């Protein structure tokens, strides 16, 4: 645990795939033949930002603070972060998400990858501050520099809190709420969540900005090299068409 920085210095000391879900919501999954090669092709087409889209399991916004646990106690921390992993750039603390959940923070056109490695903020989460970003990432996002001596951020105009968007791309397997964050005091961080939030009809474009998919949108799909005739017939039967070089249109 740690002492979180900024305006409130009282952090609690306690310890895909989009292509598949979007196509399913449009009635495509049931219309396509059960083909391993098709499934693999669809997966590869939406697996990462290089292909234009990646998984979006949850998208929202909140106010965020920052922290840095080095286990020395000098910043008020009480030991290693709750995940047992050492403090590092890209680690955030969440009051309710499962540990090792992964995603991105979006702030003023910048995108920073994260994983949940600690719990917090504590009391501040009761006031809507639902993310604690590691100090190095916070410095990058706000144009400041990480101060290894104070474990704080310098040169960003004194900003300790910022309003960010968050995108979850993978849920951790342990206890915690797989939905929009709630205050630490709710105890959601210690309960297994059997009902994760339904993934939004959203893709994460190369720009890093989540984008809603509507009935007129186009989502890149795999090239039609694998069983092209069978795939085309299946899409046609579902009332869909194919735009070269292989993007599904609905």
């Amino acid at each position: 645990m740690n002492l979180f920085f900024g305006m409130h210095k009282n952090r609690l000391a306690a310890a895909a795939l989009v292509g598949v879900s979007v196509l399913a919501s449009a009635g495509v999954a049931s219309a396509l033949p059960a083909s391993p090669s098709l499934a693999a092709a669809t997966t590869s087409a939406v697996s990462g930002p290089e292909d234009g889209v990646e998984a979006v399991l949850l998208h929202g916004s909140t106010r965020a603070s920052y922290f840095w646990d080095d286990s020395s106690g000098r910043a008020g921390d009480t030991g290693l972060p709750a995940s047992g992993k050492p403090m590092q750039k890209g680690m955030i603390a969440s009051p309710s998400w499962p540990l090792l959940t992964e995603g991105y923070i979006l702030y003023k056109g910048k995108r920073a990858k994260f994983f949940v490695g600690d719990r917090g903020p504590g009391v501040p989460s009761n006031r809507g501050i639902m993310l604690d970003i590691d100090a190095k990432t916070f410095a990058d996002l706000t144009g400041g520099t990480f101060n290894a001596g104070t474990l704080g951020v310098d040169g960003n105009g004194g900003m300790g809190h910022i309003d960010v968007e968050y995108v979850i791309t993978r849920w951790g397997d342990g206890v915690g709420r797989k939905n929009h964050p709630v205050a630490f005091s709710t105890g959601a961080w210690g309960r297994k969540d059997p009902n994760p939030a339904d993934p939004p009809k959203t893709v994460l474009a190369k720009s890093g900005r989540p984008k809603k998919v509507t009935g007129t949108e186009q989502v890149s799909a795999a090239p039609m090299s694998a069983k092209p005739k069978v795939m085309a017939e299946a899409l046609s039967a579902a009332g869909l068409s194919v735009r070269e070089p292989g993007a599904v249109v609905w």
Side-chain angles (χ1 to χ4, degrees), residues 95-96 175-177 182-192:
S96 59
V175 294
R177 187 172 191 258
V182 294
F184 191 97
S185 59
T186 66
W189 54 268
R191 297 190 294 268
K192 190 78 173 179

Side-chain angles (χ1 to χ4, degrees), residues 213-237:
V213 178
T214 69
T216 59
E217 294 288 349
Q218 297 174 345
V219 177
S220 296
M224 295 290 287
S225 57
K227 302 183 183 296
K229 184 176 180 181
V230 174
M231 292 173 65
E233 290 175 350
L235 291 170
S236 178

